[in-house]
Amino acid sequence: MCLAIPVLIKSIEDKEAEAEIGGITRRISLWLTPEAKVGDYVLVHTGYAINILDQGQAEETLALLREIAEAEEAG
Amino acid sequence: MKYISEFRRSELAEGLISHIQHSSKTPARFMEFCGGHTVTIFRYGIRQVLPETIEMVSGPGCPICVTANADLDKAIALAQIPGVIIATFGDMLKVPGSRSSLEKAKAEGAEVYTVYSTMDALKAAADNPDKPVVFLGIGFETTAPTVAASILQAGEQGIKNYYVLSLHKLCPPVIRALLDAGEVELQGLVCPGHVSTIIGSHPWEFIANEYGIPCVVSGFEPLDILQCVDMLVGQVEKGQSKVEIAYRRGVRPEGNRQALKLMEQVFEPAPARWRGIGEVADSGLKLRDKYKSFDAEANFTIEPGPVVEPAGCICGEILRGVKTPADCPLFGKTCLPESPVGPCMVSTEGSCSAYYLYGEGLGG
Amino acid sequence: MEDKILLAHGSGGKLAHDLVEKSFVKTLANPLLDKLDDSAVFELSGRLAFTTDSYVVSPIFFPGGDIGRLAVCGTVNDLAMSGAKPLYLSLAFIIEEGLPLSELEKIVNSVQRAAGEAGVKIVTGDTKVVPRGSADKLFINTAGVGVIPDGVDISGDKAGVGDKVILSGAIGDHGIAVMSQREGISFDTELESDCAPLGGLVADMLNASRNINCLRDPTRGGLATTLNELASQSKVSIRIEEKAIPVREAVLGACEMLGFDPLYVANEGRLVAIVPPEDADKVLKAMKKNKYGKDAVIIGEVAAKPPGRVVMKTVLGAHRIVDMLVGDLLPRIC
């Protein structure tokens, strides 16, 4: 449920932003994430940014998964 | 970091699959509440790579599927009022109500716009100032704040012909209702990712604390689901039950406060009808009195006629996780994606549609 | 004021004649058309392929093409998919009253360019104008005829166990380029429709091998629907690999946004070939040398079971059924 995808904020004008994914751009609303800045990746659901993605957390998760994969390969 | 391809990498998936296979000893049944998770699980064939100890069952987390016929009939009746423009997400078009569907109403002359966003619905209202534009407010906590924002925006911009038929539903109350019914025994819950983006992970704590069921919030990429299952297996093997997040990039424990604030400003909890489950207290949202001028229910005379349920359809039991599509006598016979009898076959993320389209049970 | 198409342009009277002579015949000129007789008269010999299709795309101009180019390429490609060398096309317009004449002329020019590129001639045509609201700007019907070279026998029921499945390029460009212009969905993209005439590509492939069993262009319904048609006609299973299927980043992005699966998005300049394994490499090599086949890849092969079904190996190594498209692609939230 609730399809939401990561897009990159390219520019902001008032409560709306120009956001990009894979060369596709679309206007999105920042009503739910007023703190979003240009350069942030946000999760967009039905045209609204619902969250700013946390790059640090994403990297930590991937590092953890790499550790698991390496341990499994070794073991 | 683009947050998509990184979470589809097969070598990391192999590591997780291997880890799950080594660590899972105790038979366990996990429910993925969310239809989006069901789709990821089928689309990538995740059930096939899990060990026999783990059974995945699908839950009622598809807003289209759980919309009761009585409410669908209301939406269709609204569409049939001459002059009214209905704006809706594409998901709703084909869902059959008691006698018709929005798609059929459209073929008969109703004005039905498919939109990607309430932003597009607002634009339709601004472009057609002489006609009322009614947006069908379908969706869980993820979607409700976007609809709340559109109402506030309509107010700011002085758009007076924009209305919302609120059929929004809330997830935690219905999970409690499911667990209280006691029909399905669970050893773990895959908690909905984007609902949790809004409400955070705290609202799931009652499930771990009061019902002793491990909870892990998951994202929608294959690695997210596998990591979530791995964490659930970890809790099961250690005899724990707590709430964890396997989707930290997208979910904070406290959720999105701004979104919650707007949702609470515009809506208040109300009882809601769920297909197959019935009325659940405080599991829906209605517009507060202050925003009555945007409420379709308050501004139109809606006459949907008597409710008729499709004979033989077991969508209700499937939504409760009690039965699977394979148990349904209509599945794959009279109920097909091209001629759906029940909503679970219509919605792309409905269990029946996922079972049918992705051929569950197919060997290598 | 801008010149617009009037009902009188379709009446058969003076205005109609002017339109045909000035806008159509001048641009599309060739000896068969120039005669302006009731039918085009020509001689052909051998096995012929004959096809027709109607084009109702909205909007009529989209990134990378327009309804005119599409109407030529679509019919040329249908002929090419039976192995034929496309030769002659008919061209019939149904125009909604009020269409700017300049737009119609732009489309006729585009028809001519596409026909020139495809090596076909427009030899007969028709124009009707309907009242405002009775059509959406412009509908086009084209029919086409082509000649099949000796020794070529291509049909959807000929896929054999062990055959290789070749795809000529990345999928979904056309569908997403058109979708980007739709009202209520609109997004910006530099992506262009893949709309292209494939007669030349097919000729190159047949020069490499006359043993090609099936050819089909995955238009509406996308790659998934085309593979299902072939599997079902040939009563075989088609096994494909998710990793092998090329999809551009922009198509992936739009699909993520709208909740689509690229396997179901339309193409207008791609083809699927099913070829005996011993001929696959030379066909592939020939394709890569043509500009419309330079990204060609083998995406899978034909197996016996389960007959009529397409099975895809996912990136996780699991298998899933890929079914046909049901209904329209609609943006979804769930």
Side-chain angles (χ1 to χ4, degrees):
Chain A
M1 155 222 50
C2 311
L3 196 70
I5 54 150
V7 301
L8 173 66
I9 295 189
K10 305 289 275 190
S11 64
I12 295 178
E13 199 181 322
D14 198 14
K15 283 178 180 172
E16 289 191 2
E18 204 63 40
E20 187 248 323
I21 172 171
I24 299 272
T25 55
R26 197 201 135 102
R27 276 202 101 62
I28 62 166
S29 166
L30 300 181
W31 271 68
L32 308 179
T33 55
E35 72 280 21
K37 301 184 303 293
V38 171
D40 282 344
Y41 271 89
V42 291
L43 273 175
V44 166
H45 171 66
T46 71
Y48 288 77
I50 57 167
N51 197 14
I52 299 169
L53 281 155
D54 188 327
Q55 187 175 347
Q57 291 286 2
E59 279 161 5
E60 257 179 52
T61 300
L62 288 171
L64 175 73
L65 299 189
R66 264 192 300 274
E67 262 174 46
I68 293 175
E70 279 158 19
E72 285 300 312
E73 208 173 326
Chain B
M1 176 73 67
K2 288 184 173 165
Y3 301 94
I4 296 181
S5 52
E6 293 91 344
F7 294 88
R8 291 181 187 171
R9 286 169 54 185
S10 52
E11 75 279 12
L12 297 185
E14 278 161 25
L16 278 167
I17 293 164
S18 163
H19 191 251
I20 293 166
Q21 279 169 340
H22 289 149
S23 50
S24 175
K25 308 270 189 285
T26 322
R29 183 186 295 128
F30 300 149
M31 174 183 274
E32 84 270 3
F33 173 81
C34 178
H37 286 149
T38 307
V39 169
T40 302
I41 288 169
F42 281 95
R43 189 163 165 182
Y44 290 93
I46 287 175
R47 285 188 185 193
Q48 292 165 42
V49 298
L50 294 178
E52 279 178 12
T53 39
I54 298 172
E55 182 192 351
M56 300 295 298
V57 296
S58 306
C62 158
I64 310 301
C65 306
V66 295
T67 302
N69 263 12
D71 292 328
L72 288 168
D73 292 349
K74 267 194 204 169
I76 296 162
L78 263 169
Q80 288 164 336
I81 299 176
V84 170
I85 295 175
I86 295 287
T88 179
F89 297 132
D91 316 46
M92 283 295 284
L93 275 189
K94 289 186 170 54
V95 190
S98 297
R99 278 162 297 277
S100 185
S101 67
L102 287 170
E103 193 181 38
K104 284 183 192 159
K106 185 175 180 218
E108 287 159 11
E111 280 195 81
V112 181
Y113 290 11
T114 305
V115 293
Y116 167 69
S117 166
T118 53
M119 295 165 80
D120 305 322
L122 269 183
K123 186 169 177 294
D127 291 347
N128 297 279
D130 306 333
K131 288 181 171 178
V133 172
V134 181
F135 179 76
L136 301 181
I138 293 284
F140 295 142
E141 290 92 333
T142 323
T143 317
T146 72
V147 177
S150 77
I151 288 170
L152 295 172
Q153 207 171 339
E156 272 187 13
Q157 295 175 2
I159 298 176
K160 297 205 179 327
N161 58 328
Y162 179 68
Y163 303 89
V164 169
L165 178 68
S166 175
L167 303 174
H168 292 297
K169 295 191 168 50
L170 304 174
C171 297
V174 81
I175 295 184
R176 185 186 282 279
L178 268 185
L179 294 174
D180 284 345
E183 287 180 312
V184 54
E185 200 183 312
L186 300 177
Q187 284 74 40
L189 187 71
V190 179
C191 296
H194 294 141
V195 164
S196 304
T197 298
I198 302 293
I199 67 173
S201 59
H202 298 312
W204 309 115
E205 273 161 11
F206 78 93
I207 302 171
N209 298 339
E210 294 175 37
Y211 297 86
I213 296 173
C215 290
V216 178
V217 176
S218 174
F220 295 84
E221 298 299 340
L223 286 187
D224 293 322
I225 301 269
L226 288 169
Q227 190 195 6
C228 169
V229 169
D230 190 47
M231 289 163 85
L232 285 173
V233 166
Q235 288 195 43
V236 167
E237 295 305 329
K238 284 186 214 133
Q240 296 172 330
S241 68
K242 54 185 179 181
V243 176
E244 295 179 288
I245 303 175
Y247 188 33
R248 291 204 164 269
R249 66 187 183 282
V251 173
R252 285 188 288 269
E254 72 279 12
N256 178 338
R257 293 211 167 104
Q258 166 75 2
L260 286 171
K261 196 182 96 188
L262 296 190
M263 184 163 83
E264 276 153 29
Q265 186 181 336
V266 173
F267 293 110
E268 60 185 321
R273 285 179 289 241
W274 295 67
R275 182 184 300 272
I277 296 165
E279 187 169 300
V280 179
D282 292 337
S283 70
L285 291 173
K286 65 171 191 183
L287 275 82
R288 290 187 187 271
D289 271 350
K290 192 178 165 200
Y291 298 98
K292 212 171 178 174
S293 62
F294 297 103
D295 189 347
E297 301 239 31
N299 290 280
F300 294 90
T301 312
I302 310 173
E303 290 167 338
V307 174
V308 183
E309 297 294 341
C313 171
I314 63 163
C315 277
E317 285 147 290
I318 292 169
L319 289 168
R320 298 204 300 274
V322 181
K323 289 192 174 170
T324 71
D327 299 324
C328 180
L330 310 183
F331 177 76
K333 297 189 177 74
T334 53
C335 186
L336 296 160
E338 57 269 33
S339 56
V341 175
C344 300
M345 186 61 97
V346 184
S347 170
T348 319
E349 61 167 31
S351 292
C352 298
S353 161
Y355 265 71
Y356 189 85
L357 293 180
Y358 296 132
E360 169 60 0
L362 181 89
Chain C
M1 217 184 88
E2 191 180 20
D3 283 337
K4 302 232 161 124
I5 294 289
L6 309 174
L7 280 172
H9 281 114
S11 68
K14 176 100 176 58
L15 266 183
H17 275 271
D18 281 359
L19 180 69
V20 168
E21 288 191 10
K22 286 191 192 134
S23 301
F24 300 166
V25 177
K26 217 172 100 194
T27 311
L28 303 172
N30 64 68
L32 285 173
L33 183 68
D34 297 348
K35 289 188 139 183
L36 291 176
D37 284 335
D38 280 354
S39 345
V41 178
F42 48 82
E43 277 184 34
L44 287 175
S45 62
R47 290 174 70 221
L48 302 183
F50 176 48
T51 189
T52 184
D53 211 338
S54 299
Y55 301 85
V56 298
V57 67
S58 170
I60 57 177
F61 296 96
F62 48 82
D66 57 67
I67 191 169
R69 181 171 173 82
L70 192 63
V72 172
C73 295
T75 294
V76 162
N77 292 349
D78 283 348
L79 292 171
M81 294 311 126
S82 50
K85 176 178 165 46
L87 293 173
Y88 302 122
L89 260 54
S90 70
L91 175 70
F93 290 110
I94 295 174
I95 309 171
E96 185 188 19
E97 172 189 22
L99 180 77
L101 194 61
S102 59
E103 292 194 6
L104 183 63
E105 281 171 351
K106 236 169 115 180
I107 282 164
V108 175
N109 283 327
S110 165
V111 164
Q112 177 52 25
R113 271 196 307 276
E117 187 190 346
V120 296
K121 294 189 167 59
I122 310 293
V123 295
T124 185
D126 180 49
T127 309
K128 295 284 188 297
V129 181
V130 296
R132 196 172 263 280
S134 300
D136 184 5
K137 287 190 174 167
L138 176 64
F139 298 155
I140 301 181
N141 174 276
T142 51
V145 64
V147 177
I148 299 174
D150 287 338
V152 171
D153 183 15
I154 291 169
S155 173
D157 62 6
K158 287 191 64 195
V161 175
D163 285 359
K164 298 288 180 195
V165 181
I166 305 176
L167 172 68
S168 69
I171 56 169
D173 296 5
H174 175 75
I176 296 300
V178 171
M179 190 73 73
S180 73
Q181 307 294 308
R182 290 259 163 93
E183 192 145 350
I185 296 179
S186 64
F187 51 84
D188 293 325
T189 170
E190 284 172 15
L191 192 73
E192 297 201 331
S193 166
D194 55 359
C195 182
L198 299 177
L201 175 63
V202 170
D204 291 353
M205 293 165 70
L206 288 171
N207 279 337
S209 162
R210 297 257 153 150
N211 299 326
I212 295 170
N213 284 324
C214 317
L215 283 176
R216 196 151 291 183
D217 51 342
T219 53
R220 280 171 310 163
L223 179 65
T225 301
T226 290
L227 293 176
N228 268 282
E229 287 166 6
L230 294 172
S232 138
Q233 264 181 280
S234 294
K235 301 184 180 65
V236 293
S237 171
I238 294 182
R239 303 270 171 154
I240 53 172
E241 283 232 19
E242 187 169 19
K243 272 186 211 167
I245 301 169
V247 189
R248 287 187 216 287
E249 208 187 333
V251 171
L252 275 180
C255 284
E256 292 293 337
M257 185 161 81
L258 300 169
F260 295 165
D261 184 335
L263 289 173
Y264 295 96
V265 180
N267 312 274
E268 287 295 343
R270 300 285 179 255
L271 64 79
V272 171
I274 296 189
V275 183
E278 60 278 15
D279 289 30
D281 278 344
K282 49 185 181 187
V283 172
L284 189 64
K285 223 166 130 190
M287 291 174 79
K288 283 176 178 289
K289 284 190 191 143
N290 185 295
K291 72 168 167 175
Y292 295 128
K294 62 180 183 348
D295 298 326
V297 278
I298 294 178
I299 57 165
E301 59 183 40
V302 178
K305 283 180 185 172
R309 309 234 61 175
V310 178
V311 180
M312 183 163 85
K313 188 175 175 195
T314 72
V315 290
L316 302 189
H319 294 81
R320 69 150 161 117
I321 294 271
V322 175
D323 206 343
M324 286 195 152
L325 174 68
V326 176
D328 291 340
L329 281 181
L330 293 169
R332 60 190 181 91
I333 60 155
C334 305

